[in-house]
Every structure is written in C-alpha cells, then in structure tokens.
Amino acid sequence: MKVAYIFATNMASTFKLATMILPQLEGGYHHAEVVGMMFFDDNIFCLRAGDPIGERLSKIASEKNIVLMVCDQCAVRRGLAEGDFKQCGKGQVKAKGLVDGVQAGCFPQFFAALEGNPPDYVVTL
C-alpha cells in the first residue's frame, strides 16, 4: 500500500512525524510505502536546513524516493521561499533554506510530482 502524508495540524511534524513515522521509516517497519509528504503552516519549520528532524527526513526521502513539498504560500510567509503570493500555486515559487530535496508548491505541483508513483491513500495529520 502506498501513502502520502499531509502535515496540516498543529505539531503534526514535530510529534507524529518525528516520533512515530520517521523512526518507523528509518527502522524499516512502517509497513506502508510512503511516496510523498506535504507540509503546511508551521510544520514546515522542521524542514529548515540543519534541523535534526529535517535532515533525517531528507536522508530517508532520498533513499526511498519520497516527494517532500512545502506549501508555497506557507513558505513565502515564513521567509523559506523565493517568490510572491501571485506566483503561488503555479510552480514558480522556489524553496530556500530548507533541507535537500524539498520543493515548494501547491496541490497541483504535489499531485504532478506523485503522478508517476501515485498513493493509494492520502492521510492528513
């Protein structure tokens, strides 16, 4: 079974990702194949370059071909992307200051990135 995670609720990345999902992926016992992760609001902060959670996730995402994406509007608001709000949703905003492999985008870009390896389920946390 393939899943994509959307981290949308308060502390989803620092609690559910960091203490449950990430250790399971690193240990090889998560069961589901994770094909993508999309981060919203303050959940994107764990993906800043140098953050221990983000660095671990970047490594495992590279090994397992997991798409990592931050909401372009959320990243622009937090100074973690280059671009402006008029470019959001169009694939024109570029992530900056984040761990390797993270893209900025919106749902059209996330869905396009997953097109070649679509999830069976999308789980919002």
Side-chain angles (χ1 to χ4, degrees), residues 19 50 53 67 89 96 99 109:
T19 67
I53 297 167
V67 172
K96 73 173 184 181
V99 296
Q109 290 76 45

Side-chain angles (χ1 to χ4, degrees), residues 35-54:
V35 296
M37 296 184 181
M38 179 82 168
F39 295 78
F40 288 89
D41 302 318
D42 288 346
N43 288 299
I44 71 173
F45 286 132
C46 78
L47 298 174
R48 289 180 291 194
D51 185 284
I53 297 167

Side-chain angles (χ1 to χ4, degrees), residues 7 16 21 24 29 47 55 65 78 84 102 119 122 125:
F7 296 95
K16 296 167 186 99
I21 297 168
Q24 292 167 9
Y29 58 94
L47 298 174
E55 296 293 344
N65 197 33
R78 289 160 180 79
D84 61 45
V102 177
V122 176
L125 300 168

Side-chain angles (χ1 to χ4, degrees), residues 62-74:
S62 176
E63 292 170 3
K64 297 186 177 287
N65 197 33
I66 299 170
V67 172
L68 299 178
M69 189 170 290
V70 293
C71 163
D72 49 12
Q73 281 193 45
C74 300

